[in-house]
Amino acid sequence: MPTIIKGQPTSAEVRRKLKEEGRPVVLSCSLGKDSLAAWIALEDEGIEVVPIYYWSIPGLPMVEHNVETIEGVFGVKIHQYPHPRWSRTLNNCVFQSPEHCDVIEAANMPVFGYDDMRPFILEDLGLPDDTWFCDGVRACDNPYRRASLTKHGLMKLTTRKASVVADWTKSEVMAAIERRGIGLPPDYELFGRSFDGLDMRFMKPLREKRPKDFEVVKQWYPFIEADEKRWAHYGL
């Protein structure tokens, strides 16, 4: 059965409105199933998609391979930018050695949120200030997302954000991905979801099954294994 979001238009109506504007949209693509489904839905509507990906760790081989694979499927470049988490964790010296802390404090890196980054991304992409940023947020993912979509809507005029598959079920998402001939990225085999963090849900499988990727993580967060010891001692 279709998902109904109280008081809101369907995602098909949202996509039609975007189509009527006749302009490219930016898609925040995590490389996960929902953002891939959003990309397919926009593509099916004939909307030009400019995909962006926020990396958490520079040059992670697994991510670079995923990006290359998905670019090959869609024939479109995925533009990459640093995730706000990256500078925030570094500035807070998360899992850092004393030697790293000295360098980080001297660098005094600015911390940006998504909204702070928006004008810089649009400038880099050569797109106008009122370009829509689309995402694959779905109401049936969890109660908090449903409540947010019900309260704030699928199209937020003030922030120019649109959730273009908000009422899709998981079966609709998977059907679209299968129809487009895209396999789920290896993240799902490792973590059960797309890569999204430094905690041991992600780091333990990475250390055990993708040691080269884990070594890249350690270059940026040399004490990352301390979290695994904490988990082993205190539990999840």
Side-chain angles (χ1 to χ4, degrees), residues 89-150:
T89 54
L90 290 183
N91 278 348
N92 289 324
C93 292
V94 174
F95 301 127
Q96 296 301 328
S97 63
E99 296 82 4
H100 277 204
C101 291
D102 290 340
V103 175
I104 290 167
E105 289 174 7
N108 192 28
M109 292 183 295
V111 176
F112 292 104
Y114 291 113
D115 291 338
D116 300 318
M117 295 175 66
R118 176 190 168 97
F120 298 108
I121 291 173
L122 289 175
E123 180 181 3
D124 182 56
L125 298 175
L127 295 173
D129 294 343
D130 63 346
T131 297
W132 286 96
F133 272 56
C134 299
D135 60 51
V137 171
R138 293 188 301 118
C140 63
D141 228 14
N142 60 60
Y144 304 104
R145 289 187 171 181
R146 176 183 287 273
S148 177
L149 288 164
T150 301

Side-chain angles (χ1 to χ4, degrees), residues 6-53:
K6 187 176 179 180
Q8 298 299 329
T10 65
S11 62
E13 291 175 301
V14 169
R15 296 192 300 273
R16 281 197 292 270
K17 289 180 180 179
L18 295 173
K19 171 65 173 178
E20 288 169 3
E21 291 195 10
R23 301 189 300 160
V25 300
V26 172
L27 174 67
S28 298
C29 184
S30 68
L31 310 180
K33 67 182 192 313
D34 294 340
S35 60
L36 292 176
W39 194 339
I40 295 164
L42 291 166
E43 180 185 62
D44 287 346
E45 198 68 41
I47 299 168
E48 182 181 346
V49 177
V50 183
I52 64 172
Y53 174 76

